[in-house]
Amino acid sequence: KKIPTADVQKRLSLARAYNASLLTKTSLSDPYTVKQKEGRRAYARMLEVHEMIGTIKIPKINVNLAIYAGTSESVLQKGAGHLEGSSLPVGGKSTRAVITAHRGLPNARLFTDLNKMKVGDKFYITNLSRTLAYQVDKIQVITPKNISAVKIEKGRDLVTLLTCTPYMINTHRLLVTGHRIPYHPKEAKKEERNGQIKAWLKQALIILAFLALIALFICWTKHRRGKKGKGQANQDDVKENKEN
């Protein structure tokens, strides 16, 4: 909101130029236009300062994360990262942005529940100027070397969410890919509320289960003490009778 409109448009223009540079076939001569070179330099600056380039919301699993340039550990400890070499998340034909985040951090869930996503679920990316909607159409598990799975597909506007799998073992990569669909703010808000309600209900059930376990433990402890006290009383009665 604080960035002037002209600056926003310039940044978006550079982002699109960067994305276009990813489609250029490399050769012995310089493959990039002046604008594409400027876009790549702008991205290099974003990587340097770990610039926040947008946010991602996944209502199904109640995720709302900042997206930062790059995938350094300092970035992935606090939010989602944009995979260098993939398209920037500004939309457009022949683009595929790859957004990655950790699973199982002790202080944040991040993409921990990404495995719960199904084909047909939606997620939303907000960049400098607008919110883009994507609908999941492919879920894959690949080896880390299978980079062809995230290549740009001609004419398609795609975003792939990437994390490690299996949980806490991390030998493979889970890819959740969505294609661009029209964005409907009311529908997105409704999905977000539903996701939050499900998350609150889940937390409430966990708390109730924990309280039930505590109550059972207290009851069991009291019962054990009562039984032990009764046994001690019987022993005292027997001892008293013997003395008499």
Side-chain angles (χ1 to χ4, degrees), residues 17-36:
Y18 170 84
N19 288 348
S21 76
L22 301 178
L23 302 173
T24 307
K25 292 181 179 179
T26 54
S27 63
L28 294 177
S29 60
D30 188 341
Y32 305 123
T33 65
V34 173
K35 192 72 173 179
Q36 289 171 354

Side-chain angles (χ1 to χ4, degrees), residues 99-110:
I99 309 301
T100 181
H102 276 319
R103 299 177 78 192
L105 290 187
N107 60 332
R109 293 198 65 77
L110 302 177

Side-chain angles (χ1 to χ4, degrees), residues 205-223:
L205 287 172
I206 291 170
I207 292 168
L208 286 172
F210 182 68
L211 292 174
L213 285 173
I214 292 174
L216 285 171
F217 178 75
I218 291 170
C219 289
W220 176 77
T221 304
K222 285 182 177 179
H223 176 71

Side-chain angles (χ1 to χ4, degrees), residues 7-239:
D7 196 14
V8 168
Q9 293 306 316
K10 181 182 177 182
R11 292 189 189 197
L12 287 173
S13 175
L14 289 173
R16 293 189 182 102
Y18 170 84
N19 288 348
S21 76
L22 301 178
L23 302 173
T24 307
K25 292 181 179 179
T26 54
S27 63
L28 294 177
S29 60
D30 188 341
Y32 305 123
T33 65
V34 173
K35 192 72 173 179
Q36 289 171 354
K37 287 180 184 177
E38 194 178 348
R40 284 187 165 257
R41 285 196 297 271
Y43 185 75
R45 286 194 294 271
M46 288 192 293
L47 281 175
E48 244 180 86
V49 298
H50 300 154
E51 184 175 330
M52 180 179 167
I53 60 174
T55 60
I56 178 167
K57 287 185 179 181
I58 314 175
K60 171 77 174 284
I61 55 176
N62 195 35
V63 162
N64 185 0
L65 295 173
I67 302 171
Y68 299 92
T71 56
S72 66
E73 191 56 31
S74 60
V75 162
L76 297 181
Q77 284 290 324
K78 62 182 179 179
H82 167 257
L83 184 65
E84 186 178 359
S86 72
S87 308
L88 283 164
V90 294
K93 291 181 178 181
S94 302
T95 62
R96 185 199 288 256
V98 180
I99 309 301
T100 181
H102 276 319
R103 299 177 78 192
L105 290 187
N107 60 332
R109 293 198 65 77
L110 302 177
F111 277 2
T112 296
D113 296 325
L114 194 64
N115 62 308
K116 296 178 182 177
M117 296 290 284
K118 305 291 183 187
V119 171
D121 290 336
K122 297 170 188 173
F123 59 89
Y124 303 89
I125 290 180
T126 301
N127 57 41
L128 276 174
S129 66
R130 56 181 172 166
T131 297
L132 311 176
Y134 291 85
Q135 186 169 38
V136 176
D137 57 23
K138 185 183 287 188
I139 298 173
Q140 302 165 271
V141 174
I142 64 167
T143 60
K145 292 183 179 180
N146 187 15
I147 57 172
S148 62
V150 292
K151 67 182 180 181
I152 293 169
E153 296 182 19
K154 187 176 180 181
R156 301 194 72 196
D157 184 337
L158 303 172
V159 170
T160 294
L161 312 180
L162 183 154
T163 193
C164 295
T165 197
Y167 183 61
M168 300 300 286
I169 298 174
N170 305 336
T171 54
H172 289 66
R173 302 294 177 261
L174 173 63
L175 306 181
V176 176
T177 299
H179 64 277
R180 178 91 171 273
I181 59 173
Y183 172 60
H184 302 293
K186 289 183 179 179
E187 184 180 328
K189 284 288 183 185
K190 184 179 178 181
E191 289 175 354
E192 189 176 354
R193 282 195 301 271
N194 289 340
Q196 289 172 346
I197 289 169
K198 286 179 182 178
W200 293 334
L201 286 173
K202 184 179 178 181
Q203 289 177 352
L205 287 172
I206 291 170
I207 292 168
L208 286 172
F210 182 68
L211 292 174
L213 285 173
I214 292 174
L216 285 171
F217 178 75
I218 291 170
C219 289
W220 176 77
T221 304
K222 285 182 177 179
H223 176 71
R224 190 178 178 188
R225 284 177 182 171
K227 197 173 181 181
K228 189 175 180 182
K230 190 175 180 181
Q232 184 64 45
N234 289 337
Q235 287 179 8
D236 291 343
D237 288 342
V238 170
K239 186 178 180 181

